[in-house]
Amino acid sequence: MVNSAFWQGKRVYLTGHTGFKGSWLSLWLANMGAVVKGYALAPPTQPSLFEVANVADKIESEIGDIRDLAQISASMESFNPDIVIHMAAQPLVRLSYHEPLETYDVNVMGTAKVLESARSCRNIKAIVSVTTDKCYENKEWVWGYREDEAMGGYDPYSSSKGCAELVTSAYRRSFMQETGVGLASARAGNVIGGGDWAADRLIPDILRAFEEETPVTVRNPAATRPWQHVLEPLAGYLVLAEHLYNQPAAYAEGWNFGPVENDAKPVDWILNQMVSKWPNASWQLDNNAHPHEAGYLKLDISKAKARLHWQPTWHLEQTLSKIITWHKAWLNDEDMQQACLNEINDYVRDMHNANH
């Protein structure tokens, strides 16, 4: 469970704070009393959760590119963090086919530059480097990948994240271990939640079609993914950072954060659930040719459950209901920062209840 008292007054440097996951994590950290500095490019979408929820009101925000070593080094050093959470990335599989070099540059060299910058900060105790479930060499197995499976990746995005894992491992062994800094990587599944407007992602595509009152067009209805509410892996990153801070050597390795096994569902299951919750909605198959995407992908989360005592809190049907509720609140011009904080507080309450 996340220990809110631990975060009170902790100085947290967060890359990627303007993105979907980064915005949720910024609000959560600030809500627990952490002093947060975010470093990222401008928000990647219009609208964006960062702007809709006024995240910049809660934290210090710097717009910058993780590939600019001089800027990020100066930024991190002047802030002097206790903990670094590195989430900035080019996060989209399909975009990586169009922009392969940029994808490698951001996800591989960007990660190296974040870790290089962290080496000169004297107070850092813990670094969580966030990658993805797609970092594994996908064998289309029906069982979940464990943390010691081979890195790989068919498309440039997945491959770049496998590379980022190798960079993280090398920095851990070459530099961080000897200085007592706990450096771990976190691999999460397909993260969904309110406030995601990315292109070529299932939930945003569904909600856009609902708003336009057109059928949702789907490429691969049988593809199975480990879907999870955005707060689930974020809770994992927080718990992991707490453990790294207190016992760096014991937890500096790779960690999976995914849903319970039954929540690895095919795309058409999600579609049917979402369509049933929205009036006059429907979906249809997209028969055009598309680049390769993995068919079957699951994570084994036994290690995080056993050693971090982290476990998923919300099941998938509950998550989809939360997304619809959040999106309708946004369409009704409600206070979305408050809506996010309410959802975080609901999650924290349910997490505590589930663990007692």
Side-chain angles (χ1 to χ4, degrees), residues 13-337:
Y13 193 91
L14 175 62
T15 72
H17 70 291
T18 59
F20 164 58
K21 286 168 78 179
S23 294
W24 276 103
L25 187 55
S26 296
L27 291 174
W28 194 349
L29 283 165
N31 203 37
M32 293 188 290
V35 181
V36 183
K37 178 167 185 179
Y39 181 97
L41 297 175
T45 59
Q46 193 60 44
S48 70
L49 180 58
F50 185 74
E51 285 164 346
V52 164
N54 295 314
V55 175
D57 293 355
K58 291 285 193 182
I59 66 167
E60 183 185 343
S61 172
E62 181 175 344
I63 300 301
D65 192 321
I66 55 171
R67 295 172 291 179
D68 183 337
L69 182 60
Q71 186 185 347
I72 191 171
S73 290
S75 167
M76 198 185 293
E77 219 166 315
S78 67
F79 181 69
N80 195 20
D82 304 306
I83 294 168
V84 173
I85 303 177
H86 168 45
M87 288 171 48
Q90 191 300 87
L92 300 168
V93 171
R94 285 167 64 83
L95 183 60
S96 78
Y97 281 107
H98 300 292
E99 302 284 354
L101 292 180
E102 182 173 351
T103 301
Y104 282 107
D105 199 16
V106 173
N107 294 351
V108 186
M109 287 311 297
T111 296
K113 287 173 180 175
V114 170
L115 297 178
E116 185 61 27
S117 301
R119 285 178 63 199
S120 53
C121 297
R122 60 193 179 282
N123 284 338
I124 290 179
K125 294 268 199 333
I127 305 171
V128 176
S129 180
V130 175
T131 64
T132 173
D133 56 355
K134 295 170 190 66
C135 66
Y136 295 108
E137 181 60 46
N138 193 323
K139 307 239 183 9
E140 301 283 345
W141 285 332
V142 295
W143 54 84
Y145 292 89
R146 291 183 180 172
E147 285 87 348
D148 57 1
E149 313 265 11
M151 296 293 112
Y154 179 109
D155 56 89
Y157 167 75
S158 304
S159 158
S160 74
K161 287 299 205 170
C163 295
E165 284 280 353
L166 298 178
V167 168
T168 301
S169 171
Y171 263 80
R172 176 191 304 126
R173 291 184 286 186
S174 303
F175 307 116
M176 302 305 181
Q177 269 173 354
E178 62 197 37
T179 55
V181 175
L183 168 57
S185 63
R187 305 155 189 175
N190 279 51
V191 173
I192 57 178
D196 186 4
W197 281 281
D200 290 323
R201 272 209 198 126
L202 180 64
I203 299 293
D205 287 349
I206 290 174
L207 292 170
R208 269 190 287 268
F210 285 0
E211 283 175 55
E212 291 160 9
E213 298 184 351
T214 57
V216 186
T217 305
V218 180
R219 301 188 295 271
N220 194 352
T224 297
R225 295 286 184 273
W227 312 99
Q228 58 188 154
H229 191 280
V230 59
L231 296 176
E232 304 277 25
L234 297 183
Y237 307 162
L238 293 170
V239 171
L240 175 56
E242 291 169 25
H243 280 76
L244 283 169
Y245 188 91
N246 292 321
Q247 291 178 269
Y251 295 95
E253 52 197 73
W255 298 86
N256 286 342
F257 299 104
V260 295
E261 187 154 1
N262 311 350
D263 280 350
K265 297 278 195 203
V267 166
D268 58 5
W269 188 92
I270 300 261
L271 279 160
N272 293 331
Q273 286 283 323
M274 293 283 280
V275 163
S276 73
K277 295 177 199 303
W278 198 281
N280 307 318
S282 62
W283 68 274
Q284 64 190 25
L285 187 61
D286 178 353
N287 289 313
N288 297 320
H290 294 286
H292 172 275
E293 292 181 78
Y296 206 90
L297 186 56
K298 278 163 80 172
L299 290 175
D300 184 319
I301 55 171
S302 317
K303 187 170 92 165
K305 279 173 143 174
R307 291 182 49 205
L308 298 174
H309 309 295
W310 169 91
Q311 62 183 19
T313 297
W314 284 347
H315 57 74
L316 190 51
E317 286 176 37
Q318 200 175 356
T319 292
L320 296 177
S321 294
K322 295 270 183 198
I323 292 171
I324 299 270
T325 302
W326 192 99
H327 201 75
K328 286 182 173 169
W330 173 68
L331 290 174
N332 292 334
D333 286 328
E334 291 179 26
D335 177 342
M336 296 317 294
Q337 184 183 99

